Amino acid sequence: MVEQQLAARGIEDQRVLDAMRRVPRHLFVEPAAAPYAYEDHPMPIGEGQTISQPYIVALMLQAARIRPEDAVLDVGTGSGYAAAVAAELAHRVVSIERHPGLAVEAAATLEALGYRVEVVTGDGTLGWPASAPYDAIVAAATGPSVPPAWPAQLRPGGRIVMPVGRPGRAQHLAAYTLRKDGELHETNLGAVAFVPLIGDQGWPASG
């Protein structure tokens, strides 16, 4: 997976590649799907959610430029896989999930594997102010734009990586850096397809 799907397609951050090697992706999917866990496509995990394909997880975490001393907010815990990879890279990871059942399952998996991730249940579009500030916010769901709550929870120079665009239509993966003047500088990382970022500052639950 790492050599053929990640390194061969331009993932150059050695820390990200090493982290992807260490995290047992097959333990973050349903047992029946475990034989296919390392293939290059997303997989369903319940509640209408998915675990992103390995390349997209690596691309997002590379774009987040996570350092060993950083605090990271992972929006959209899902099965906990991306949070586990982030925990290999960062000092502290908080992961927020709006589906209580997924949050409980992900927290149990992460704890069983020894990953120190704070999994919380709530509206990810509002961030998680109680554990702010963060050096990076990484979201696994597409929003209409950056939720206004997020930049306020970033340290200066902090990064946001998230897909932007309407569900089922054109989306792109965006990497933002919070500048000293408070503005966000955006880099377009290409076309993607994600589930919607639902919440007060995202899409309504009705679609």
Side-chain angles (χ1 to χ4, degrees):
M1 179 189 78
V2 172
E3 297 303 326
Q4 296 177 12
Q5 299 175 33
L6 310 184
R9 295 174 64 186
I11 303 299
E12 301 175 337
D13 188 321
Q14 193 60 50
R15 294 186 67 239
V16 171
L17 293 173
D18 289 343
M20 297 287 286
R21 286 190 180 95
R22 289 192 293 266
V23 178
R25 183 175 166 90
H26 64 282
L27 297 180
F28 289 89
V29 300
E30 295 294 329
Y36 315 103
Y38 297 92
E39 294 181 2
D40 189 28
H41 54 75
M43 304 182 72
I45 57 171
E47 301 286 355
Q49 306 301 299
T50 60
I51 177 173
S52 297
Q53 71 187 95
Y55 171 73
I56 292 296
V57 174
L59 179 62
M60 295 180 75
L61 292 176
Q62 175 174 268
R65 307 194 309 277
I66 299 171
R67 301 161 297 193
E69 66 272 19
D70 282 354
V72 175
L73 177 63
D74 170 60
V75 178
T77 311
S79 69
Y81 176 70
V85 181
E88 293 274 358
L89 301 169
H91 173 67
R92 180 167 61 91
V93 176
V94 178
S95 188
I96 185 167
E97 171 58 53
R98 75 184 188 94
H99 296 284
L102 289 180
V104 169
E105 291 181 15
T109 301
L110 290 162
E111 182 178 6
L113 293 173
Y115 288 108
R116 298 180 62 184
V117 175
E118 180 186 358
V119 179
V120 297
T121 302
D123 181 351
T125 69
L126 303 179
W128 193 253
S131 297
Y134 306 101
D135 299 283
I137 298 175
V138 181
T142 186
S145 60
V146 174
W150 293 2
Q153 297 176 35
L154 280 182
R155 289 191 174 93
R159 289 81 60 198
I160 296 172
V161 181
M162 66 175 294
V164 176
R166 185 171 292 276
R169 300 186 183 178
Q171 303 172 20
H172 69 279
L173 186 61
Y176 301 90
T177 301
L178 183 63
R179 302 189 304 202
K180 291 182 179 179
D181 61 5
E183 295 296 318
L184 290 171
H185 173 74
E186 178 182 354
T187 301
N188 187 327
L189 300 177
V192 291
F194 276 82
V195 297
L197 179 66
I198 293 173
D200 286 350
Q201 296 182 11
W203 302 107
S206 60

